[in-house]
């Protein structure tokens, strides 16, 4: 005899179906555009790595060490202003904040074509960091207004695809622009690259103002019933969060453990992002277009890796092992790449494994803070973690630059990144204990 479903289970099923329908609509409306915006943000960070070899030919003052410092100064300036930017965004909204960020960084990114010496190089990299400050943590905060904690890994998995997509565009498209437009109208190819990739940010800033809404309740494309569903699931997440004020975050040991973990992951990511073209060149790959195409391969493989890990993490609701294992695998990949540089195929394969793994860990990681912080705690906490982590973008290229200039090899720098990834894995392993400690303090 067929068992009839209970009224309670029928109601639960109906609620689940309605929620899925709403979030399919939200996914379509938000994630593709946010992905496009972050793609250009990431592209404007890493395209300097593809301009490097050509800038050094035209501007001898930009040595390996100068490049490393300049690449890193962006992140130092960025880090200083992250927390203020996110706190302001929580008060005035994403539309005003993100539009301002995108327009100003687009102008400065295009202005990189005016670099003439190490001082103009440093100045423009610092300005780029100042004007882009708050973008990445701002979008992560923005997503917490729309998505409950249980859906954050999948949402982040789409948004964070901007990293590998930006790297693919940075590899193939940057190389193509530099090669095809060199000497056009008296400008070098690398100058055209900065101009062509910077100007679209102005248009995207305008479109963000026109198309995005600060909160679900402001969105005219959601019905009243759909807004009520979003409010309900967000409220459920808020009720489970331990911290809601920024001062609570500063007292929470878990946030500092998260920051250390994120720092190591970012060092691994940015070390390879900035130096992959140089590593390929050191392995005998001299043709610009070939370097660009080879540099894109790891990031093509990274896209399905990130999607798989983020969906798996949401399905199992496990964040712990979905970040630890990829981080360890990234360290192993960089170790093998450092010691097998004489064997290009083996070394390149190891780099692909490292890049895929580091980006996979990065994607799932951001589902953790959103699960534990709400309100101004989310604004400040996400920015604080990202501030410490983004310093990896200063440490990694700067350290690699000095090691490369001193030794003529990137091996020592890559091994330093392995150590930092190991520190990150240790922090991720200890994170559940620090979160449990905080919960016990609250209960007592």
């Amino acid at each position: 005899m067929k068992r009839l479903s209970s009224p309670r289970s029928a109601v639960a099923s109906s609620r689940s179906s309605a929620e899925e329908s709403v979030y399919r609509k939200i996914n379509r409306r938000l994630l593709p555009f946010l992905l496009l915006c972050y793609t250009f943000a990431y592209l404007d960070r890493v395209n300097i790595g593809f301009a490097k070899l050509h800038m050094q030919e035209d501007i001898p003052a930009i040595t390996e060490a100068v490049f490393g410092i300049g690449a890193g100064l962006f992140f130092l300036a960025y880090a200083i202003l992250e927390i203020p930017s996110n706190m302001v965004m929580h008060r005035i909204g994403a539309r005003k904040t993100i539009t301002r960020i995108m327009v100003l960084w687009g102008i400065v990114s295009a202005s990189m074509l005016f670099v003439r010496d190490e001082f103009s190089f440093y100045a423009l990299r610092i300005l780029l960091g100042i004007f882009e400050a708050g973008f990445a943590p701002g979008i992560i905060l923005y997503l917490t207004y729309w998505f409950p904690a249980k859906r954050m890994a999948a949402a982040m998995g789409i948004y964070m695809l901007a990293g590998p997509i930006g790297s693919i565009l940075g590899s193939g498209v940057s190389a193509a622009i530099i090669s095809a437009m060199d000497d056009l109208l008296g400008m070098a190819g690398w100058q055209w690259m900065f101009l062509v990739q910077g100007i679209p940010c102005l248009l995207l800033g305008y479109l963000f103002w026109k198309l995005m809404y600060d909160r679900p309740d402001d969105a005219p494309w959601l019905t009243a019933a759909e807004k009520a569903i979003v409010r309900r699931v967000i409220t459920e997440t808020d009720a489970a969060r331990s911290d809601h004020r920024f001062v609570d975050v500063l007292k929470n040991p878990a946030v500092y453990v998260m920051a250390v973990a994120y720092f190591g992951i970012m060092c691994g990511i940015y070390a390879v992002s900035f130096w992959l073209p140089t590593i390929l060149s050191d392995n005998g790959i001299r043709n610009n277009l070939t370097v660009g195409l080879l540099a894109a391969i790891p990031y093509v493989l990274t896209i399905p890796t990130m999607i798989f890990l983020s969906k798996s993490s949401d399905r199992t609701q496990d964040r712990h092992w979905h970040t630890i294992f990829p981080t360890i695998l990234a360290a192993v990949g960089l170790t093998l790449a450092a010691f097998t540089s004489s064997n290009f195929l083996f070394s390149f394969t190891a780099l692909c494994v490292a890049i895929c793994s580091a980006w996979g860990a990065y994607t799932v990681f951001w589902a953790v803070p959103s699960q534990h912080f709400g309100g101004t705690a989310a604004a400040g906490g996400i920015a604080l973690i990202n501030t410490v982590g983004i310093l990896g973008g200063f440490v990694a290229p700067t350290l690699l630059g000095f090691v490369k200039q001193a030794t003529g090899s990137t091996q020592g720098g890559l091994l330093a990144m392995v150590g930092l990834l190991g520190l990150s894995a240790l922090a991720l392993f200890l994170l559940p204990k620090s979160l449990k400690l905080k919960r016990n303090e609250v209960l007592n």
Side-chain angles (χ1 to χ4, degrees):
M1 183 176 178
K2 188 175 180 180
R3 179 179 295 177
L4 297 176
S5 60
S6 67
R8 181 177 298 177
S9 65
V11 170
S13 176
S14 177
R15 287 179 62 176
S16 176
S17 177
E19 183 181 324
E20 287 295 328
S21 176
V22 171
Y23 274 97
R24 280 195 296 271
K25 179 186 285 191
I26 291 174
N27 287 344
R28 289 194 303 269
R29 287 279 188 162
L30 296 188
L31 296 180
F33 184 69
L34 295 179
L35 168 61
L36 180 62
C37 291
Y38 193 32
T39 296
F40 275 91
Y42 194 82
L43 182 60
D44 285 345
R45 294 181 194 179
V46 302
N47 60 9
I48 188 70
F50 297 93
K52 168 181 175 285
L53 301 177
H54 308 278
M55 293 177 75
Q56 287 177 324
E57 291 175 3
D58 294 341
I59 311 171
I62 300 182
T63 63
E64 299 289 350
V66 167
F67 171 76
I69 293 171
L73 281 174
F74 163 89
F75 295 96
L76 196 59
Y78 189 107
I80 291 170
L81 295 173
E82 285 224 83
I83 293 175
S85 178
N86 244 32
M87 298 296 281
V88 169
M89 185 187 124
H90 189 60
R91 296 184 61 182
I92 70 172
R95 291 176 70 232
K96 293 179 181 177
T97 304
I98 302 301
T99 297
R100 179 258 305 167
I101 288 173
M102 295 196 71
V103 169
L104 291 177
W105 108 50
I107 292 171
V108 175
S109 181
S111 297
M112 284 291 294
L113 69 89
F114 297 114
V115 169
R116 292 294 180 268
D117 52 33
E118 67 269 38
F119 301 109
S120 56
F121 180 56
Y122 291 155
L124 285 168
R125 290 294 295 178
I126 291 170
L127 282 175
L128 188 62
I130 289 171
F131 289 138
E132 195 184 323
F135 178 81
I139 297 296
I140 294 169
L141 176 64
Y142 182 60
L143 290 174
T144 68
Y145 301 154
W146 294 79
F147 292 88
K150 65 183 180 181
R151 293 181 180 272
M152 273 298 288
M156 293 300 296
I158 299 299
Y159 168 61
M160 294 296 185
L161 288 177
I165 291 173
S167 296
I168 292 167
L169 292 175
S171 303
V173 176
S174 294
I177 292 172
I178 291 171
S179 298
M181 303 185 74
D182 193 35
D183 285 334
L184 180 64
L185 300 180
M187 287 171 52
W190 61 267
Q191 292 177 304
W192 279 110
M193 183 204 73
F194 285 122
L195 182 63
V196 169
Q197 295 177 355
I199 286 183
C201 300
L202 305 178
L203 175 61
L204 288 173
Y206 170 76
L207 290 176
F208 195 99
W209 177 263
K210 298 296 290 185
L211 300 177
M212 295 291 104
Y213 295 88
D214 287 335
R215 303 272 183 161
D217 281 341
D218 301 326
W221 45 267
L222 286 175
T223 67
E226 290 169 336
K227 291 175 182 178
I229 290 171
V230 176
R231 279 196 299 271
R232 173 177 59 80
V233 295
I234 295 297
T235 300
E236 290 171 358
T237 291
D238 286 340
R241 286 168 171 156
S242 58
D243 293 336
H244 290 269
R245 300 178 304 160
F246 184 45
V247 68
D248 297 328
V249 166
L250 296 177
K251 297 176 183 177
N252 189 342
V255 76
Y256 300 104
V257 177
M258 292 181 202
V260 170
Y262 188 53
F263 175 79
I265 293 171
M266 294 304 289
C267 281
I269 286 175
Y270 281 115
V272 181
S273 293
F274 282 110
W275 287 91
L276 185 55
T278 301
I279 292 169
L280 292 172
S281 180
D282 288 349
N283 276 273
I285 311 299
R286 303 299 181 189
N287 181 271
N288 292 333
L289 194 55
T290 304
V291 168
L293 293 174
L294 283 174
I297 290 174
Y299 298 102
V300 172
L301 300 174
T302 294
I303 291 174
T305 303
M306 291 171 66
I307 293 173
F308 169 77
L309 281 174
S310 61
K311 287 188 175 181
S312 174
S313 178
D314 268 358
R315 185 176 64 253
T316 61
Q317 287 299 294
D318 168 71
R319 314 300 190 197
H320 185 59
W321 296 110
H322 277 74
T323 49
I324 290 178
F325 279 145
T327 302
I328 293 173
L329 195 56
V332 171
L334 281 186
T335 303
L336 292 175
F339 283 109
T340 60
S341 57
S342 59
N343 185 325
F344 173 73
L345 182 60
F346 197 95
S347 179
F348 184 67
T349 301
L351 278 175
C352 288
V353 170
I355 292 170
C356 289
S357 301
W359 276 103
Y362 170 71
T363 302
V364 177
F365 171 86
W366 277 113
V368 179
S370 62
Q371 188 172 353
H372 297 280
F373 308 139
T376 55
I382 289 170
L384 177 60
I385 294 167
N386 204 64
T387 296
V388 176
I390 209 72
L391 290 174
F394 175 77
V395 171
T398 303
L399 180 59
L400 273 168
F402 279 114
V403 172
K404 177 75 163 56
Q405 184 159 308
T407 66
S409 169
T410 54
Q411 184 185 72
L414 288 177
L415 290 177
M417 298 307 110
V418 170
L420 291 170
L421 282 167
L423 177 65
S424 179
L426 177 61
L428 290 167
F429 183 77
L430 296 174
L431 182 56
K433 293 182 180 179
S434 62
L435 289 169
K436 184 177 180 181
L437 177 64
K438 174 63 179 179
R439 283 195 295 270
N440 290 340
E441 287 178 358
V442 172
L443 291 173
N444 292 332

